[in-house]
Amino acid sequence: MSTSGTTPAPAQAYPLSNRVALEGLGSFFIVFAGLATALFSPAGSAATIGFAYGLALVACLISFGHVTNGFFNPAFSLAMAVAGRIKWLAAVLYIVAQTIGGLLATAVLVALMKVMPAGATPETPKLFAALANGFDSHSPSQVPMVGVLIVEIVLMAVLVAVVLGASSARNKSTMGPIGIGLAFAVAVTITMPLSNGSLNPARATSVIFLADSWALGQVWLFWLAPLFGAALAAAIYRSFAPARSLVTVDGPAEDIVATGTQDIDSDADTDDDDDNAALPKPVPAVPEPVTSDPAPKKNDAQDFFDSKDK
């Protein structure tokens, strides 16, 4: 237990391998929830699918967010690195794990469809082509490439602003995961009729190898636009954020925010080894005691002339 005027020792960081594995698991669950809802839900409307993604994200944030700080989406992980919350190496490994998790989610869905009665589902290429993200003639609303590009950039920038604000250590609200999940659900609902919903490069990649060839040719947009929007929003955030708020600690800080994530993460880039320790709390200066009637300094010459025996 800490005493007055001292700082508690920070907890040890979770191993990077554990965090990478949890990012892959979270991505698997989010992608599986969204695609399975689109495939099997009788009321697979845009809102239903969007909220499936959002609720799955809420569950992952509450369960694993305090460990990984990567938010189970390549665009969010890039934003956290640009904002100084995690190291670039961790961000790259997170993105790889998230992409693999999305591909595994699709593999499980394919295996599930293989054991269903014949004729219960369409042929695999036709089915996953309907789930793939696309623009122009492959957009559900025939939206051109420029339109999809703008929507993906703008919505991802807004989502990153929500994530960075909700996960800030200055934010004492306990509703962070719900706020992030709801924002993501609304954003996916908006993009569903435009591009089959994405805002997640791992989800966009998860179906391209099972869909028609056009999906592979258009997936670049669903990586470029979210990553650009995320990096732009994070760079703007970092330019306005107090510099000291980006200093890191060696592991999950005592100041864990209510979202289940931490504003100051062990993975963030630092230029000085001294930044790898928790910032000490400011200690107020103690003023020296001042007496109301200070004693005059002794003056030997004055005492000689004032002496009565002179």
Side-chain angles (χ1 to χ4, degrees):
M1 182 177 294
S2 63
T3 60
S4 177
T6 64
T7 303
Q12 293 298 314
Y14 292 95
L16 180 59
S17 59
N18 291 7
R19 287 177 276 151
V20 170
L22 288 177
E23 283 290 327
L25 175 61
S27 178
F28 170 88
F29 178 57
I30 292 168
V31 173
F32 183 87
L35 293 181
T37 302
L39 286 171
F40 306 126
S41 174
S45 64
T48 303
I49 298 169
F51 275 86
Y53 282 114
L55 291 175
L57 178 58
V58 170
C60 291
L61 286 175
I62 293 174
S63 302
F64 313 131
H66 67 288
V67 177
T68 66
N69 213 19
F71 293 89
F72 319 106
N73 184 323
F76 290 156
S77 295
L78 175 65
M80 299 302 280
V82 173
R85 303 277 186 87
I86 61 176
K87 282 184 179 178
W88 285 98
L89 174 61
V92 171
L93 294 177
Y94 284 1
I95 291 171
V96 172
Q98 291 155 1
T99 304
I100 294 174
L103 291 170
L104 290 176
T106 305
V108 172
L109 288 173
V110 171
L112 179 60
M113 289 185 291
K114 294 294 185 182
V115 300
M116 295 181 69
T121 58
E123 296 179 358
T124 297
K126 181 180 179 181
L127 177 64
F128 283 95
L131 298 175
N133 301 126
F135 52 84
D136 290 333
S137 61
H138 302 293
S139 161
S141 301
Q142 307 295 304
V143 179
M145 179 189 71
V146 175
V148 174
L149 185 70
I150 292 172
V151 169
E152 290 271 332
I153 291 175
V154 171
L155 286 179
M156 180 51 70
V158 173
L159 284 173
V160 166
V162 171
V163 168
L164 292 173
S167 62
S168 171
R170 298 170 182 266
N171 187 348
K172 304 305 180 183
S173 171
T174 60
M175 303 293 287
I178 297 176
I180 294 171
L182 287 177
F184 189 68
V186 171
V188 172
T189 301
I190 293 172
T191 59
M192 282 297 298
L194 305 179
S195 60
N196 269 335
S198 182
L199 302 169
N200 184 346
R203 177 262 180 266
T205 306
S206 65
V207 299
I208 59 173
F209 299 108
L210 296 171
D212 296 326
S213 59
W214 64 262
L216 183 61
Q218 294 192 357
V219 73
W220 64 269
L221 185 146
F222 301 98
W223 275 86
L224 176 64
L227 293 179
F228 178 78
L232 178 63
I236 295 173
Y237 166 86
R238 187 163 188 170
S239 68
F240 285 100
R244 299 300 286 178
S245 69
L246 301 175
V247 176
T248 65
V249 297
D250 189 15
E254 293 291 324
D255 176 284
I256 300 297
V257 301
T259 60
T261 62
Q262 56 194 58
D263 188 42
I264 303 175
D265 186 69
S266 61
D267 294 323
D269 283 323
T270 57
D271 298 325
D272 195 303
D273 291 339
D274 293 338
D275 288 342
N276 291 327
L279 291 176
K281 297 179 180 179
V283 179
V286 179
E288 296 183 0
V290 178
T291 60
S292 59
D293 187 17
K297 294 182 179 180
K298 186 175 181 180
N299 189 321
D300 293 338
Q302 184 68 33
D303 290 346
F304 174 79
F305 288 106
D306 292 343
S307 173
K308 295 180 181 181
D309 297 335
K310 179 182 172 185

XYZ file of all heavy atoms in Angstrom, residues 132-136 138-140 143 148 194-196 214 218 222:
129
model
N -18.818 -9.789 -49.288
C -17.580 -9.047 -49.515
C -17.856 -7.555 -49.658
O -18.910 -7.146 -50.138
C -16.878 -9.586 -50.765
N -16.887 -6.760 -49.234
C -16.994 -5.312 -49.387
C -16.653 -4.915 -50.811
O -15.711 -5.441 -51.401
C -16.036 -4.612 -48.419
C -16.316 -4.971 -46.968
O -15.437 -5.410 -46.241
N -17.544 -4.769 -46.547
N -17.430 -3.981 -51.358
C -17.182 -3.569 -52.729
C -17.714 -2.187 -53.025
O -18.437 -1.593 -52.230
N -17.344 -1.682 -54.196
C -17.816 -0.384 -54.656
C -18.191 -0.491 -56.127
O -18.049 -1.550 -56.744
C -16.750 0.702 -54.429
C -15.381 0.369 -54.979
C -15.063 0.603 -56.303
C -14.405 -0.182 -54.149
C -13.811 0.299 -56.813
C -13.148 -0.496 -54.649
C -12.845 -0.254 -55.979
N -18.701 0.605 -56.675
C -19.205 0.634 -58.052
C -20.288 -0.434 -58.223
O -21.232 -0.488 -57.455
C -18.060 0.451 -59.056
C -17.139 1.675 -59.105
O -17.624 2.791 -58.807
O -15.945 1.512 -59.407
N -20.332 -3.448 -57.499
C -20.368 -4.431 -56.412
C -20.840 -3.832 -55.095
O -20.829 -4.521 -54.068
C -18.991 -5.064 -56.241
C -18.480 -5.729 -57.476
N -19.063 -6.862 -58.000
C -17.454 -5.403 -58.317
C -18.413 -7.235 -59.099
N -17.432 -6.367 -59.313
N -21.234 -2.591 -55.126
C -21.841 -1.956 -53.958
C -23.335 -2.243 -53.960
O -23.982 -2.196 -55.015
C -21.605 -0.436 -53.998
O -22.508 0.242 -53.163
N -23.938 -2.553 -52.820
C -25.387 -2.792 -52.786
C -26.197 -1.618 -53.318
O -27.288 -1.814 -53.854
C -25.674 -3.025 -51.292
C -24.390 -3.526 -50.732
C -23.318 -2.813 -51.496
N -22.661 2.545 -55.200
C -21.911 3.743 -54.818
C -20.536 3.697 -55.478
O -19.850 2.675 -55.415
C -21.762 3.823 -53.290
C -20.957 5.055 -52.883
C -23.128 3.841 -52.631
N -17.429 5.638 -51.524
C -17.083 4.673 -50.476
C -15.803 5.104 -49.765
O -15.689 4.990 -48.538
C -16.931 3.271 -51.087
C -16.423 2.280 -50.044
C -18.259 2.794 -51.669
N -23.964 0.751 -48.367
C -23.029 1.413 -49.282
C -21.944 0.471 -49.782
O -21.587 0.494 -50.963
C -22.376 2.620 -48.586
C -23.327 3.666 -47.993
C -22.533 4.776 -47.327
C -24.247 4.227 -49.068
N -21.396 -0.355 -48.866
C -20.272 -1.213 -49.250
C -20.308 -2.566 -48.560
O -19.291 -3.250 -48.505
C -18.958 -0.507 -48.906
O -18.888 -0.250 -47.510
N -21.446 -2.961 -48.035
C -21.595 -4.190 -47.244
C -20.935 -4.067 -45.879
O -20.679 -5.081 -45.221
C -21.039 -5.417 -47.980
C -22.097 -6.094 -48.798
O -23.290 -5.996 -48.508
N -21.676 -6.785 -49.853
N -13.357 -10.438 -58.110
C -13.429 -8.981 -57.989
C -13.181 -8.523 -56.546
O -12.679 -7.418 -56.314
C -14.795 -8.464 -58.450
C -15.970 -8.923 -57.615
C -16.803 -9.957 -57.879
C -16.396 -8.354 -56.369
N -17.731 -10.094 -56.871
C -17.509 -9.112 -55.937
C -15.968 -7.301 -55.580
C -18.185 -8.840 -54.749
C -16.634 -7.023 -54.394
C -17.736 -7.780 -53.982
N -10.690 -5.344 -55.084
C -11.225 -4.125 -54.458
C -10.892 -4.010 -52.971
O -11.188 -2.978 -52.361
C -12.743 -4.058 -54.648
C -13.180 -3.890 -56.089
C -14.646 -3.526 -56.227
O -15.393 -3.449 -55.256
N -15.076 -3.301 -57.465
N -10.521 -1.002 -48.738
C -11.008 -1.251 -47.383
C -9.867 -1.492 -46.395
O -10.113 -1.754 -45.214
C -12.003 -2.417 -47.412
C -13.163 -2.119 -48.311
C -13.199 -2.612 -49.623
C -14.193 -1.306 -47.887
C -14.256 -2.311 -50.463
C -15.251 -1.002 -48.721
C -15.283 -1.500 -50.014
